[in-house]
Every structure is written in C-alpha cells, then in structure tokens.
Amino acid sequence: MPPFRYQKLRDHFLKVLQPHFVKAAVPPEAPGKIDYGDIDVLVEQASSHLGLSIPKIASLLQAKRHTSNGGSMSFAVKLPSELEDTSVPFAQLDVSTCQQGYLEWGVFMNSYGDLWQIIGLTIRDLGLTATDRGLHVRIPEIDAHNAKESRLFMTHDPVLTMQFMGLDEKRFAAGFDSENEMFAWIADGRLFSCNNLEQRQNSNDRQRLRKRPQFKRFLDEWVPNNRHLWTQKRVPSRSQILEEALNEFNLESVYTERLQCWQEATAEKDIMSKIAAIITLDNSEKLNLAMRALKRWAILSPGVGLSVRSEPAMAPQYQCSFSTATAEMGETNILQWIHIHWEDIVEHEKQRVKAAKKERDAAKCN
C-alpha cells in the first residue's frame, strides 16, 4: 500500500488499541520506503481489568479473520470507509506482545527497517549481542563453546545502549530522511568498522543478503562507496569492550561467577569423560550405573584424598566433584583410584537400589 494509506491506517488502528493496553506503539518505518505490506504494532500488557483475549482484540479491530503464534497475532482488518480500496479491501495488522517494561526496547529493535540487522552484524565480532531481552556482552572463553550461555545482560534501555555504542540518540529520535542518512548514522558509531563486516559468512547473513534489500544495499553498495569515512577510525578491541561493559554496567561479580562456574563444569566434564573411558574398557554395560554410583559414593576429604562414603549423597550439591579431586590429587592418582574402586562402588549402589525397592514394596503392602 502507498505511504499515505499506510500512515492513515497505522494511526487509526493504533488509536483503537491504545486505550486497551498499558502501552502501544508502531516502530518508525524504514526511511524512503514507498510501499507497505502490513502494519506492525507492539503492545505491552493488556490492562488487567479488561483481560483481553484474541477474539476480543479482533472484535475491537473489526477484523474478519485472525491467527496467533505465541506472543504475535495477525488480523485481517477492513479498511475504514475513507480509505477503502476496491482492489484491496483488507489490510494485515500484526500485533506483538512485549513483556512488561520491554516495549521501548522492542520498538528500538524494530525501528527503521533493517537498522538492527546491520548494527548486530557490526558488533558481533566485538563480543556484543542484542536480543529481544536487551544488549549482552559475551564472555570469550564460554562463547567459543556456547554463545547463548556466554551472554551477560547489560541493559534493555535504548538510550544507554546507544550511548555505549557511541551512537547519537537525539539523531535517532529525530528520524532519518533517507537511507543514506541512516547508514551514515550507523557508521558514525564508535564501534563501527568495515573490518567487522568481513566475517559475514554464516547462513543467517547469507539469507539476509538474499531476502533483505536494505541490508544488502548497505553491505554491497554503501560500505564500498564510503570507506573514506572511517579510514582513520580506531575501534576498541573485544577485550576493551568487555572491560568497559563490566565496569559501566556493574557486571564484574556476575562475570567472575559465570566464568568460574563454566570452568568448573568444563573441568568436571573433562575428568568424567576420562573416568568413563576407564570403566568402558572394563565393562561398558555398567557405565551409566557406575558413573551415577561414583558421584554418590565417592567423597573427597582434604589432605586425605578420595574414599568411599558410608551413606550415599543423593543430592547433587553434596556429591563428589572429581575436578576438585583432580586439582588436589592429580589426574593420574584419580584415575588409578577409580580403576581400583569403581566395581566395589557399583556394588554399594546396587545394594542401595535393592534396599530402596524392598522398602517401597513393604510400604505398598501396608
């Protein structure tokens, strides 16, 4: 649909929805856009006393049809009489629900077409990730193995995000008259460097290049024609960005705890795989039983080493940490101890299971 019809419909349906939600907004459109397919509205939390269901929202909008998927709803809405188009009598209105306190962030992430698709690509190699939950910095040691687990939440405040990236928030709020203005605004940020765009070879990036014309124009046309704008620019390194993020958003203790937990879990996984290899050599059929039994029955005593408990530790927080034992006794000594004792420990576990079953059966009889 042409811009004038889109703008009228956007304002009309936003006015219909706003009284029934705590907040409702439409992200600003891509600059220079001349044709629109649908209308995207973000809403935050239906007012509690209304308890709006999807059919009620459809009724408010006078929609002929509707569908939903998670927090997103789509409605086929009839055009108001003053905007009727005999060739296209309906428009599609998409309504997405944001969690409480996240509407401004949702608007920010969906503003100006592919803006955040582009920014996300430029900050990826610097260890930053923006999701629907906010801006995150990734811990490098964890990121190499599990990107999602490596994320530390920084903020979901759009202004704080732009300030951290050195982007002009006032210019963003004022809007862009052209695509070139928006591209220049992105490149003017302190974290932008065309070097960060060279590694865009993952499948998501290739898909965006095929399906998102604005994204493609930025990478394949605007960047090659405007390299002179940042030839003298010095962008902080990933380690510098991490340090800044930890300091500015008070994340030092969270970072230390997350990294330590991951290192301990990784060390535990490593030694347990070596322990499993020893047991498999002797009897692969008993492997799962043996691994459970070792955790429950082995105990590390400071200055003494490993021994067998008199009673099993069933709760994970009380079970033996073999990575801690390795640090104290050395890997060779740990593996030797396992080789000698694992079969006796399995017998302890079998007897425990047998006794527990007997007790359950007796309880049933009573």
Side-chain angles (χ1 to χ4, degrees), residues 295-296 312-320:
K295 280 287 190 180
R296 291 170 177 171
M314 302 303 293
Q317 64 267 33
Y318 300 119
Q319 292 175 356
C320 182

Side-chain angles (χ1 to χ4, degrees), residues 146-186:
N146 188 328
K148 188 173 182 179
E149 183 64 25
S150 75
R151 297 174 189 165
L152 293 178
F153 172 76
M154 295 166 64
T155 182
H156 67 266
D157 184 314
V159 173
L160 291 179
T161 297
M162 287 185 278
Q163 288 174 349
F164 184 80
M165 294 183 179
L167 293 165
D168 186 345
E169 66 267 25
K170 293 181 180 178
R171 185 72 186 82
F172 176 90
F176 307 103
D177 292 330
S178 69
E179 200 171 70
N180 280 341
E181 282 187 11
M182 186 184 85
F183 291 163
W185 178 82
I186 294 171

Side-chain angles (χ1 to χ4, degrees), residues 180 183-184 187 192 221-231:
N180 280 341
F183 291 163
F192 177 85
E221 298 174 21
W222 194 88
V223 169
N225 292 332
N226 290 276
R227 290 181 183 272
H228 62 281
L229 296 177
W230 54 83
T231 52

Side-chain angles (χ1 to χ4, degrees), residues 126-129 136-153 238 242 246 251-263:
L126 294 174
L128 295 172
T129 297
H136 303 75
V137 64
R138 304 191 308 276
I139 302 173
E141 294 89 341
I142 304 177
D143 191 26
H145 305 275
N146 188 328
K148 188 173 182 179
E149 183 64 25
S150 75
R151 297 174 189 165
L152 293 178
F153 172 76
R238 177 170 182 174
L242 175 61
L246 297 182
L251 296 173
E252 291 91 344
S253 60
V254 179
Y255 164 79
T256 301
E257 182 180 354
R258 178 81 62 83
L259 181 57
Q260 183 178 340
C261 287
W262 180 83
Q263 289 171 333

